[in-house]
Amino acid sequence: MFKKDTLIIRKLNISDASVVQRLIDEIFSVPPWNDDWKAEELRAYTAELLGGRTALCFGLFDRMELAGIALGRTKTWWEGKEYVLEEFGIVENLRGKRAGAYFMAEVERLAAAEGCAFMVLQTERTAPAYEFYKKAGFTESAGSVMFVKSI
């Protein structure tokens, strides 16, 4: 179990880019994700996420160190404003201790406070995150499918 009293959640912005880049690399360059970001691409990606007009990004800080990220954006939709979560991750030493569940619940609360009615994300069925999101109350959209095509 984690100690909630050492955790702080705050909004992230473009000024947090370098620390967010380090955390993305730490979390996602290892199994099961094995992302292989080039430095320039990672800088561009974090700038897009943190600096976009509709960016809504949060950081979980443990003893003032960035320990988790929720990087997303809002999107206007006919059923209500959506929070599109692009990246969610937490450092390894906090995994399995309910810190991720706590962070996700707080992100939901904060997104709702920003006027969001829905939270949407995508993940792979074979990734550990799949079960995490199910436990967090997300359901698969039976009527939706994601298409990919190399161009």
Short mmCIF file of all heavy atoms in Angstrom, two decimals, residues 25-91:
data_model
loop_
_atom_site.label_atom_id
_atom_site.label_comp_id
_atom_site.label_asym_id
_atom_site.label_seq_id
_atom_site.Cartn_x
_atom_site.Cartn_y
_atom_site.Cartn_z
N ASP A 25 9.95 7.72 -20.81
CA ASP A 25 11.03 6.79 -21.15
C ASP A 25 11.18 5.72 -20.07
O ASP A 25 11.30 4.54 -20.37
CB ASP A 25 12.34 7.57 -21.36
CG ASP A 25 13.41 6.71 -21.95
OD1 ASP A 25 13.15 6.05 -22.98
OD2 ASP A 25 14.52 6.67 -21.40
N GLU A 26 11.14 6.12 -18.81
CA GLU A 26 11.29 5.17 -17.70
C GLU A 26 10.17 4.14 -17.68
O GLU A 26 10.42 2.95 -17.48
CB GLU A 26 11.32 5.93 -16.37
CG GLU A 26 11.42 5.03 -15.15
CD GLU A 26 11.36 5.80 -13.84
OE1 GLU A 26 11.67 7.01 -13.82
OE2 GLU A 26 11.00 5.19 -12.82
N ILE A 27 8.95 4.59 -17.89
CA ILE A 27 7.79 3.70 -17.79
C ILE A 27 7.62 2.83 -19.03
O ILE A 27 7.37 1.62 -18.93
CB ILE A 27 6.50 4.51 -17.54
CG1 ILE A 27 6.54 5.16 -16.16
CG2 ILE A 27 5.26 3.62 -17.67
CD1 ILE A 27 5.42 6.16 -15.91
N PHE A 28 7.74 3.44 -20.20
CA PHE A 28 7.31 2.75 -21.41
C PHE A 28 8.43 2.17 -22.27
O PHE A 28 8.15 1.54 -23.29
CB PHE A 28 6.45 3.69 -22.26
CG PHE A 28 5.19 4.09 -21.56
CD1 PHE A 28 4.99 5.39 -21.14
CD2 PHE A 28 4.18 3.17 -21.31
CE1 PHE A 28 3.83 5.78 -20.49
CE2 PHE A 28 3.02 3.53 -20.66
CZ PHE A 28 2.84 4.83 -20.25
N SER A 29 9.70 2.32 -21.89
CA SER A 29 10.78 1.73 -22.69
C SER A 29 11.09 0.30 -22.28
O SER A 29 11.92 -0.36 -22.89
CB SER A 29 12.04 2.59 -22.60
OG SER A 29 12.56 2.55 -21.29
N VAL A 30 10.43 -0.18 -21.26
CA VAL A 30 10.65 -1.54 -20.74
C VAL A 30 9.43 -2.41 -21.05
O VAL A 30 8.36 -1.90 -21.40
CB VAL A 30 10.91 -1.48 -19.22
CG1 VAL A 30 12.20 -0.72 -18.92
CG2 VAL A 30 9.75 -0.87 -18.48
N PRO A 31 9.57 -3.74 -20.91
CA PRO A 31 8.42 -4.62 -21.15
C PRO A 31 7.26 -4.25 -20.25
O PRO A 31 7.48 -3.81 -19.12
CB PRO A 31 8.96 -6.01 -20.80
CG PRO A 31 10.44 -5.89 -21.03
CD PRO A 31 10.79 -4.48 -20.63
N PRO A 32 6.04 -4.39 -20.68
CA PRO A 32 5.64 -5.03 -21.93
C PRO A 32 5.55 -4.08 -23.12
O PRO A 32 5.27 -4.48 -24.23
CB PRO A 32 4.26 -5.58 -21.60
CG PRO A 32 3.70 -4.56 -20.66
CD PRO A 32 4.88 -4.09 -19.83
N TRP A 33 5.80 -2.77 -22.89
CA TRP A 33 5.59 -1.80 -23.97
C TRP A 33 6.78 -1.74 -24.93
O TRP A 33 6.62 -1.66 -26.13
CB TRP A 33 5.27 -0.42 -23.39
CG TRP A 33 4.04 -0.48 -22.55
CD1 TRP A 33 2.75 -0.43 -22.98
CD2 TRP A 33 3.97 -0.65 -21.14
NE1 TRP A 33 1.89 -0.56 -21.91
CE2 TRP A 33 2.62 -0.70 -20.77
CE3 TRP A 33 4.93 -0.77 -20.14
CZ2 TRP A 33 2.19 -0.85 -19.45
CZ3 TRP A 33 4.51 -0.92 -18.84
CH2 TRP A 33 3.16 -0.96 -18.51
N ASN A 34 7.97 -1.65 -24.38
CA ASN A 34 9.19 -1.61 -25.19
C ASN A 34 9.21 -0.48 -26.22
O ASN A 34 9.71 -0.65 -27.33
CB ASN A 34 9.42 -2.95 -25.89
CG ASN A 34 9.56 -4.09 -24.89
OD1 ASN A 34 10.34 -3.99 -23.95
ND2 ASN A 34 8.80 -5.14 -25.08
N ASP A 35 8.69 0.68 -25.84
CA ASP A 35 8.74 1.84 -26.75
C ASP A 35 10.20 2.23 -26.99
O ASP A 35 11.02 2.18 -26.07
CB ASP A 35 7.99 3.03 -26.16
CG ASP A 35 6.48 2.81 -26.10
OD1 ASP A 35 5.99 1.79 -26.62
OD2 ASP A 35 5.80 3.68 -25.53
N ASP A 36 10.50 2.63 -28.20
CA ASP A 36 11.87 3.00 -28.58
C ASP A 36 11.86 4.41 -29.14
O ASP A 36 12.04 4.62 -30.33
CB ASP A 36 12.42 2.00 -29.60
CG ASP A 36 13.89 2.24 -29.90
OD1 ASP A 36 14.57 2.90 -29.09
OD2 ASP A 36 14.35 1.79 -30.97
N TRP A 37 11.63 5.39 -28.26
CA TRP A 37 11.54 6.78 -28.68
C TRP A 37 12.91 7.35 -29.03
O TRP A 37 13.87 7.16 -28.29
CB TRP A 37 10.95 7.63 -27.56
CG TRP A 37 9.49 7.48 -27.37
CD1 TRP A 37 8.87 6.72 -26.41
CD2 TRP A 37 8.45 8.09 -28.12
NE1 TRP A 37 7.51 6.83 -26.53
CE2 TRP A 37 7.22 7.67 -27.58
CE3 TRP A 37 8.43 8.95 -29.21
CZ2 TRP A 37 6.00 8.09 -28.06
CZ3 TRP A 37 7.22 9.36 -29.71
CH2 TRP A 37 6.02 8.93 -29.14
N LYS A 38 12.98 8.07 -30.12
CA LYS A 38 14.14 8.91 -30.42
C LYS A 38 13.91 10.22 -29.66
O LYS A 38 12.78 10.66 -29.50
CB LYS A 38 14.25 9.18 -31.92
CG LYS A 38 14.22 7.95 -32.81
CD LYS A 38 15.44 7.08 -32.62
CE LYS A 38 15.45 5.88 -33.53
NZ LYS A 38 14.70 4.73 -33.08
N ALA A 39 14.98 10.85 -29.21
CA ALA A 39 14.86 12.05 -28.37
C ALA A 39 14.03 13.13 -29.04
O ALA A 39 13.15 13.74 -28.40
CB ALA A 39 16.24 12.59 -28.01
N GLU A 40 14.26 13.38 -30.31
CA GLU A 40 13.53 14.43 -31.02
C GLU A 40 12.03 14.11 -31.13
O GLU A 40 11.18 14.98 -30.96
CB GLU A 40 14.12 14.63 -32.42
CG GLU A 40 13.51 15.78 -33.18
CD GLU A 40 14.20 15.99 -34.53
OE1 GLU A 40 15.44 15.95 -34.59
OE2 GLU A 40 13.47 16.21 -35.51
N GLU A 41 11.72 12.85 -31.40
CA GLU A 41 10.32 12.45 -31.50
C GLU A 41 9.61 12.56 -30.15
O GLU A 41 8.47 13.00 -30.07
CB GLU A 41 10.21 11.02 -32.03
CG GLU A 41 10.67 10.87 -33.47
CD GLU A 41 10.87 9.42 -33.86
OE1 GLU A 41 11.03 8.55 -32.97
OE2 GLU A 41 10.87 9.15 -35.07
N LEU A 42 10.31 12.16 -29.09
CA LEU A 42 9.72 12.25 -27.75
C LEU A 42 9.47 13.70 -27.35
O LEU A 42 8.44 14.01 -26.76
CB LEU A 42 10.60 11.53 -26.73
CG LEU A 42 10.04 11.44 -25.31
CD1 LEU A 42 8.65 10.81 -25.28
CD2 LEU A 42 11.01 10.65 -24.43
N ARG A 43 10.40 14.59 -27.70
CA ARG A 43 10.20 16.02 -27.43
C ARG A 43 8.96 16.53 -28.16
O ARG A 43 8.14 17.26 -27.59
CB ARG A 43 11.43 16.83 -27.83
CG ARG A 43 12.51 16.88 -26.78
CD ARG A 43 13.57 17.92 -27.10
NE ARG A 43 14.29 17.64 -28.33
CZ ARG A 43 15.34 16.83 -28.43
NH1 ARG A 43 15.80 16.24 -27.35
NH2 ARG A 43 15.93 16.64 -29.59
N ALA A 44 8.82 16.16 -29.42
CA ALA A 44 7.67 16.61 -30.21
C ALA A 44 6.37 16.04 -29.64
O ALA A 44 5.36 16.75 -29.52
CB ALA A 44 7.83 16.20 -31.67
N TYR A 45 6.38 14.77 -29.26
CA TYR A 45 5.19 14.11 -28.72
C TYR A 45 4.74 14.77 -27.42
O TYR A 45 3.56 15.10 -27.25
CB TYR A 45 5.49 12.63 -28.50
CG TYR A 45 4.33 11.82 -27.99
CD1 TYR A 45 3.14 11.73 -28.69
CD2 TYR A 45 4.44 11.11 -26.80
CE1 TYR A 45 2.08 10.97 -28.22
CE2 TYR A 45 3.39 10.34 -26.33
CZ TYR A 45 2.21 10.27 -27.04
OH TYR A 45 1.16 9.51 -26.57
N THR A 46 5.68 15.00 -26.50
CA THR A 46 5.29 15.62 -25.23
C THR A 46 4.85 17.06 -25.44
O THR A 46 3.94 17.54 -24.74
CB THR A 46 6.43 15.55 -24.19
OG1 THR A 46 7.62 16.09 -24.74
CG2 THR A 46 6.67 14.12 -23.74
N ALA A 47 5.45 17.77 -26.39
CA ALA A 47 5.01 19.13 -26.69
C ALA A 47 3.57 19.13 -27.20
O ALA A 47 2.77 19.99 -26.84
CB ALA A 47 5.93 19.79 -27.71
N GLU A 48 3.23 18.15 -28.05
CA GLU A 48 1.86 18.04 -28.55
C GLU A 48 0.89 17.77 -27.41
O GLU A 48 -0.19 18.38 -27.33
CB GLU A 48 1.76 16.90 -29.57
CG GLU A 48 2.46 17.17 -30.88
CD GLU A 48 2.59 15.93 -31.75
OE1 GLU A 48 2.02 14.86 -31.39
OE2 GLU A 48 3.28 16.01 -32.77
N LEU A 49 1.25 16.85 -26.52
CA LEU A 49 0.35 16.49 -25.42
C LEU A 49 0.22 17.60 -24.39
O LEU A 49 -0.88 17.91 -23.95
CB LEU A 49 0.84 15.21 -24.74
CG LEU A 49 0.73 13.93 -25.54
CD1 LEU A 49 1.43 12.78 -24.82
CD2 LEU A 49 -0.74 13.57 -25.79
N LEU A 50 1.34 18.19 -24.00
CA LEU A 50 1.33 19.19 -22.94
C LEU A 50 0.97 20.58 -23.42
O LEU A 50 0.47 21.39 -22.64
CB LEU A 50 2.70 19.24 -22.25
CG LEU A 50 3.12 17.99 -21.49
CD1 LEU A 50 4.60 18.07 -21.14
CD2 LEU A 50 2.27 17.79 -20.25
N GLY A 51 1.22 20.87 -24.69
CA GLY A 51 1.06 22.24 -25.17
C GLY A 51 -0.11 22.47 -26.09
O GLY A 51 -0.31 23.58 -26.56
N GLY A 52 -0.90 21.44 -26.31
CA GLY A 52 -2.05 21.59 -27.20
C GLY A 52 -3.12 22.51 -26.61
O GLY A 52 -3.21 22.68 -25.39
N ARG A 53 -3.91 23.09 -27.49
CA ARG A 53 -4.95 24.03 -27.07
C ARG A 53 -5.94 23.39 -26.10
O ARG A 53 -6.45 24.04 -25.18
CB ARG A 53 -5.69 24.56 -28.31
CG ARG A 53 -6.69 25.67 -28.00
CD ARG A 53 -7.37 26.17 -29.26
NE ARG A 53 -8.04 25.13 -30.03
CZ ARG A 53 -9.24 24.61 -29.72
NH1 ARG A 53 -9.89 25.04 -28.67
NH2 ARG A 53 -9.77 23.68 -30.48
N THR A 54 -6.22 22.10 -26.26
CA THR A 54 -7.19 21.43 -25.40
C THR A 54 -6.52 20.44 -24.44
O THR A 54 -7.18 19.56 -23.90
CB THR A 54 -8.25 20.70 -26.25
OG1 THR A 54 -7.60 19.70 -27.04
CG2 THR A 54 -9.02 21.67 -27.12
N ALA A 55 -5.21 20.60 -24.22
CA ALA A 55 -4.47 19.70 -23.33
C ALA A 55 -5.06 19.70 -21.93
O ALA A 55 -5.45 20.75 -21.40
CB ALA A 55 -3.00 20.10 -23.29
N LEU A 56 -5.12 18.51 -21.35
CA LEU A 56 -5.52 18.36 -19.95
C LEU A 56 -4.66 17.23 -19.40
O LEU A 56 -4.93 16.05 -19.61
CB LEU A 56 -7.00 18.05 -19.81
CG LEU A 56 -7.56 18.00 -18.38
CD1 LEU A 56 -7.29 19.31 -17.64
CD2 LEU A 56 -9.05 17.69 -18.40
N CYS A 57 -3.58 17.62 -18.72
CA CYS A 57 -2.57 16.66 -18.27
C CYS A 57 -2.36 16.81 -16.77
O CYS A 57 -2.37 17.92 -16.25
CB CYS A 57 -1.27 16.90 -19.02
SG CYS A 57 -1.41 16.75 -20.82
N PHE A 58 -2.13 15.66 -16.13
CA PHE A 58 -1.94 15.65 -14.68
C PHE A 58 -0.70 14.85 -14.32
O PHE A 58 -0.36 13.88 -15.00
CB PHE A 58 -3.15 15.02 -13.98
CG PHE A 58 -4.44 15.72 -14.27
CD1 PHE A 58 -5.31 15.22 -15.22
CD2 PHE A 58 -4.78 16.89 -13.60
CE1 PHE A 58 -6.51 15.87 -15.50
CE2 PHE A 58 -5.97 17.55 -13.87
CZ PHE A 58 -6.84 17.04 -14.82
N GLY A 59 -0.07 15.25 -13.25
CA GLY A 59 1.09 14.52 -12.73
C GLY A 59 0.82 14.08 -11.30
O GLY A 59 0.21 14.82 -10.52
N LEU A 60 1.26 12.88 -11.00
CA LEU A 60 1.22 12.36 -9.63
C LEU A 60 2.64 12.51 -9.09
O LEU A 60 3.59 11.97 -9.66
CB LEU A 60 0.81 10.89 -9.62
CG LEU A 60 0.87 10.17 -8.27
CD1 LEU A 60 -0.23 10.70 -7.35
CD2 LEU A 60 0.74 8.67 -8.46
N PHE A 61 2.77 13.27 -8.03
CA PHE A 61 4.08 13.52 -7.43
C PHE A 61 4.16 12.81 -6.09
O PHE A 61 3.27 12.95 -5.26
CB PHE A 61 4.31 15.03 -7.24
CG PHE A 61 4.46 15.76 -8.55
CD1 PHE A 61 3.35 16.14 -9.28
CD2 PHE A 61 5.72 16.03 -9.05
CE1 PHE A 61 3.48 16.81 -10.50
CE2 PHE A 61 5.87 16.70 -10.26
CZ PHE A 61 4.74 17.08 -10.99
N ASP A 62 5.22 12.06 -5.91
CA ASP A 62 5.50 11.38 -4.65
C ASP A 62 6.74 12.03 -4.05
O ASP A 62 7.82 11.96 -4.64
CB ASP A 62 5.73 9.89 -4.89
CG ASP A 62 5.92 9.10 -3.61
OD1 ASP A 62 5.57 9.61 -2.53
OD2 ASP A 62 6.42 7.96 -3.69
N ARG A 63 6.55 12.68 -2.95
CA ARG A 63 7.65 13.42 -2.31
C ARG A 63 8.31 14.38 -3.30
O ARG A 63 9.53 14.42 -3.44
CB ARG A 63 8.66 12.46 -1.70
CG ARG A 63 8.11 11.66 -0.54
CD ARG A 63 9.12 10.69 0.01
NE ARG A 63 8.58 9.96 1.12
CZ ARG A 63 7.86 8.84 1.02
NH1 ARG A 63 7.59 8.35 -0.16
NH2 ARG A 63 7.41 8.24 2.09
N MET A 64 7.50 15.09 -4.04
CA MET A 64 7.91 16.13 -4.98
C MET A 64 8.56 15.58 -6.26
O MET A 64 9.00 16.35 -7.10
CB MET A 64 8.84 17.15 -4.31
CG MET A 64 8.25 17.78 -3.04
SD MET A 64 6.61 18.52 -3.30
CE MET A 64 7.07 19.95 -4.24
N GLU A 65 8.62 14.27 -6.44
CA GLU A 65 9.17 13.66 -7.66
C GLU A 65 8.01 13.16 -8.51
O GLU A 65 7.09 12.51 -7.99
CB GLU A 65 10.08 12.49 -7.32
CG GLU A 65 11.35 12.86 -6.60
CD GLU A 65 12.33 13.60 -7.50
OE1 GLU A 65 12.43 13.26 -8.70
OE2 GLU A 65 12.97 14.54 -6.99
N LEU A 66 8.05 13.44 -9.82
CA LEU A 66 7.01 12.96 -10.71
C LEU A 66 7.02 11.44 -10.73
O LEU A 66 8.04 10.83 -11.06
CB LEU A 66 7.20 13.52 -12.12
CG LEU A 66 6.09 13.20 -13.12
CD1 LEU A 66 4.75 13.79 -12.68
CD2 LEU A 66 6.46 13.70 -14.51
N ALA A 67 5.90 10.84 -10.36
CA ALA A 67 5.80 9.39 -10.23
C ALA A 67 4.70 8.81 -11.11
O ALA A 67 4.59 7.58 -11.24
CB ALA A 67 5.55 9.01 -8.77
N GLY A 68 3.87 9.66 -11.69
CA GLY A 68 2.80 9.17 -12.56
C GLY A 68 2.32 10.26 -13.49
O GLY A 68 2.46 11.46 -13.18
N ILE A 69 1.82 9.84 -14.64
CA ILE A 69 1.32 10.80 -15.63
C ILE A 69 -0.04 10.37 -16.16
O ILE A 69 -0.32 9.18 -16.32
CB ILE A 69 2.29 10.97 -16.82
CG1 ILE A 69 2.67 9.60 -17.41
CG2 ILE A 69 3.49 11.79 -16.43
CD1 ILE A 69 3.46 9.66 -18.70
N ALA A 70 -0.86 11.35 -16.40
CA ALA A 70 -2.13 11.19 -17.11
C ALA A 70 -2.13 12.32 -18.13
O ALA A 70 -2.35 13.48 -17.79
CB ALA A 70 -3.31 11.30 -16.17
N LEU A 71 -1.83 11.97 -19.37
CA LEU A 71 -1.68 12.97 -20.43
C LEU A 71 -2.82 12.82 -21.41
O LEU A 71 -3.01 11.76 -22.00
CB LEU A 71 -0.34 12.78 -21.16
CG LEU A 71 0.90 12.70 -20.27
CD1 LEU A 71 2.14 12.45 -21.10
CD2 LEU A 71 1.05 13.96 -19.43
N GLY A 72 -3.58 13.88 -21.57
CA GLY A 72 -4.72 13.81 -22.46
C GLY A 72 -5.16 15.17 -22.95
O GLY A 72 -4.45 16.17 -22.79
N ARG A 73 -6.34 15.16 -23.53
CA ARG A 73 -6.91 16.38 -24.09
C ARG A 73 -8.42 16.27 -23.98
O ARG A 73 -8.97 15.18 -23.84
CB ARG A 73 -6.50 16.56 -25.54
CG ARG A 73 -6.99 15.44 -26.44
CD ARG A 73 -6.47 15.57 -27.87
NE ARG A 73 -6.80 14.40 -28.65
CZ ARG A 73 -7.96 14.19 -29.26
NH1 ARG A 73 -8.92 15.09 -29.18
NH2 ARG A 73 -8.18 13.09 -29.96
N THR A 74 -9.06 17.40 -24.05
CA THR A 74 -10.52 17.39 -24.08
C THR A 74 -10.98 17.48 -25.52
O THR A 74 -10.25 17.97 -26.39
CB THR A 74 -11.11 18.56 -23.26
OG1 THR A 74 -10.66 19.79 -23.82
CG2 THR A 74 -10.72 18.45 -21.80
N LYS A 75 -12.16 16.99 -25.74
CA LYS A 75 -12.73 16.97 -27.09
C LYS A 75 -14.23 17.23 -26.97
O LYS A 75 -14.92 16.60 -26.16
CB LYS A 75 -12.48 15.60 -27.72
CG LYS A 75 -13.05 15.42 -29.10
CD LYS A 75 -12.65 14.03 -29.63
CE LYS A 75 -13.84 13.31 -30.16
NZ LYS A 75 -13.53 11.97 -30.64
N THR A 76 -14.71 18.16 -27.76
CA THR A 76 -16.13 18.45 -27.78
C THR A 76 -16.84 17.36 -28.56
O THR A 76 -16.41 16.99 -29.66
CB THR A 76 -16.39 19.82 -28.43
OG1 THR A 76 -15.67 20.81 -27.70
CG2 THR A 76 -17.88 20.15 -28.43
N TRP A 77 -17.91 16.84 -27.99
CA TRP A 77 -18.68 15.78 -28.63
C TRP A 77 -20.15 16.05 -28.38
O TRP A 77 -20.51 16.68 -27.40
CB TRP A 77 -18.25 14.42 -28.07
CG TRP A 77 -18.72 13.25 -28.87
CD1 TRP A 77 -19.56 12.25 -28.44
CD2 TRP A 77 -18.40 12.93 -30.22
NE1 TRP A 77 -19.76 11.35 -29.44
CE2 TRP A 77 -19.05 11.74 -30.56
CE3 TRP A 77 -17.61 13.55 -31.19
CZ2 TRP A 77 -18.96 11.15 -31.81
CZ3 TRP A 77 -17.51 12.96 -32.43
CH2 TRP A 77 -18.18 11.78 -32.73
N TRP A 78 -20.98 15.54 -29.26
CA TRP A 78 -22.41 15.83 -29.16
C TRP A 78 -23.05 15.29 -27.89
O TRP A 78 -24.03 15.83 -27.40
CB TRP A 78 -23.16 15.33 -30.41
CG TRP A 78 -23.21 13.83 -30.54
CD1 TRP A 78 -22.30 13.02 -31.13
CD2 TRP A 78 -24.25 12.98 -30.07
NE1 TRP A 78 -22.68 11.71 -31.05
CE2 TRP A 78 -23.89 11.65 -30.40
CE3 TRP A 78 -25.45 13.19 -29.38
CZ2 TRP A 78 -24.68 10.55 -30.08
CZ3 TRP A 78 -26.23 12.09 -29.08
CH2 TRP A 78 -25.85 10.79 -29.44
N GLU A 79 -22.46 14.26 -27.29
CA GLU A 79 -23.01 13.70 -26.05
C GLU A 79 -22.43 14.38 -24.82
O GLU A 79 -22.86 14.10 -23.71
CB GLU A 79 -22.71 12.20 -25.97
CG GLU A 79 -23.47 11.38 -26.98
CD GLU A 79 -23.13 9.92 -26.87
OE1 GLU A 79 -21.96 9.56 -27.09
OE2 GLU A 79 -24.04 9.13 -26.56
N GLY A 80 -21.46 15.24 -25.02
CA GLY A 80 -20.81 15.92 -23.91
C GLY A 80 -19.31 15.91 -24.09
O GLY A 80 -18.76 15.14 -24.87
N LYS A 81 -18.65 16.77 -23.40
CA LYS A 81 -17.20 16.91 -23.50
C LYS A 81 -16.51 15.61 -23.05
O LYS A 81 -16.86 15.04 -22.02
CB LYS A 81 -16.78 18.08 -22.61
CG LYS A 81 -15.36 18.54 -22.73
CD LYS A 81 -15.23 19.82 -21.89
CE LYS A 81 -13.84 20.29 -21.72
NZ LYS A 81 -13.78 21.50 -20.88
N GLU A 82 -15.52 15.19 -23.84
CA GLU A 82 -14.78 13.97 -23.53
C GLU A 82 -13.37 14.32 -23.07
O GLU A 82 -12.78 15.29 -23.52
CB GLU A 82 -14.65 13.07 -24.77
CG GLU A 82 -15.94 12.48 -25.24
CD GLU A 82 -15.76 11.60 -26.48
OE1 GLU A 82 -14.69 11.65 -27.13
OE2 GLU A 82 -16.70 10.87 -26.78
N TYR A 83 -12.86 13.50 -22.18
CA TYR A 83 -11.45 13.55 -21.82
C TYR A 83 -10.81 12.36 -22.50
O TYR A 83 -11.09 11.21 -22.18
CB TYR A 83 -11.26 13.49 -20.30
CG TYR A 83 -9.80 13.51 -19.88
CD1 TYR A 83 -8.93 14.48 -20.37
CD2 TYR A 83 -9.30 12.58 -18.99
CE1 TYR A 83 -7.60 14.52 -19.98
CE2 TYR A 83 -7.97 12.62 -18.58
CZ TYR A 83 -7.13 13.58 -19.09
OH TYR A 83 -5.81 13.62 -18.70
N VAL A 84 -9.96 12.62 -23.49
CA VAL A 84 -9.28 11.58 -24.24
C VAL A 84 -7.92 11.36 -23.60
O VAL A 84 -7.03 12.22 -23.70
CB VAL A 84 -9.13 11.96 -25.73
CG1 VAL A 84 -8.44 10.85 -26.50
CG2 VAL A 84 -10.49 12.31 -26.33
N LEU A 85 -7.77 10.24 -22.93
CA LEU A 85 -6.54 9.94 -22.22
C LEU A 85 -5.58 9.23 -23.17
O LEU A 85 -5.84 8.13 -23.63
CB LEU A 85 -6.84 9.05 -21.01
CG LEU A 85 -5.69 8.77 -20.05
CD1 LEU A 85 -5.13 10.06 -19.48
CD2 LEU A 85 -6.17 7.86 -18.93
N GLU A 86 -4.49 9.90 -23.49
CA GLU A 86 -3.51 9.36 -24.44
C GLU A 86 -2.45 8.51 -23.74
O GLU A 86 -2.02 7.51 -24.29
CB GLU A 86 -2.83 10.50 -25.20
CG GLU A 86 -3.76 11.36 -26.01
CD GLU A 86 -4.29 10.68 -27.26
OE1 GLU A 86 -3.79 9.60 -27.64
OE2 GLU A 86 -5.23 11.24 -27.85
N GLU A 87 -2.01 8.93 -22.57
CA GLU A 87 -0.98 8.20 -21.83
C GLU A 87 -1.33 8.19 -20.35
O GLU A 87 -1.71 9.22 -19.80
CB GLU A 87 0.40 8.86 -22.00
CG GLU A 87 0.94 8.91 -23.39
CD GLU A 87 1.36 7.55 -23.95
OE1 GLU A 87 1.41 6.55 -23.20
OE2 GLU A 87 1.62 7.50 -25.16
N PHE A 88 -1.20 7.03 -19.75
CA PHE A 88 -1.37 6.90 -18.31
C PHE A 88 -0.30 5.93 -17.83
O PHE A 88 -0.18 4.83 -18.36
CB PHE A 88 -2.76 6.37 -17.95
CG PHE A 88 -3.01 6.32 -16.46
CD1 PHE A 88 -3.49 7.43 -15.80
CD2 PHE A 88 -2.76 5.17 -15.74
CE1 PHE A 88 -3.71 7.40 -14.42
CE2 PHE A 88 -2.97 5.12 -14.37
CZ PHE A 88 -3.45 6.24 -13.71
N GLY A 89 0.48 6.35 -16.87
CA GLY A 89 1.52 5.46 -16.36
C GLY A 89 1.97 5.88 -14.98
O GLY A 89 1.79 7.03 -14.57
N ILE A 90 2.55 4.92 -14.31
CA ILE A 90 3.02 5.15 -12.95
C ILE A 90 4.35 4.42 -12.77
O ILE A 90 4.56 3.38 -13.40
CB ILE A 90 1.95 4.71 -11.93
CG1 ILE A 90 2.22 5.25 -10.55
CG2 ILE A 90 1.78 3.21 -11.90
CD1 ILE A 90 1.00 5.26 -9.66
N VAL A 91 5.23 4.97 -11.97
CA VAL A 91 6.54 4.34 -11.78
C VAL A 91 6.39 2.95 -11.17
O VAL A 91 5.44 2.67 -10.44
CB VAL A 91 7.48 5.22 -10.91
CG1 VAL A 91 7.86 6.49 -11.64
CG2 VAL A 91 6.87 5.50 -9.56
#
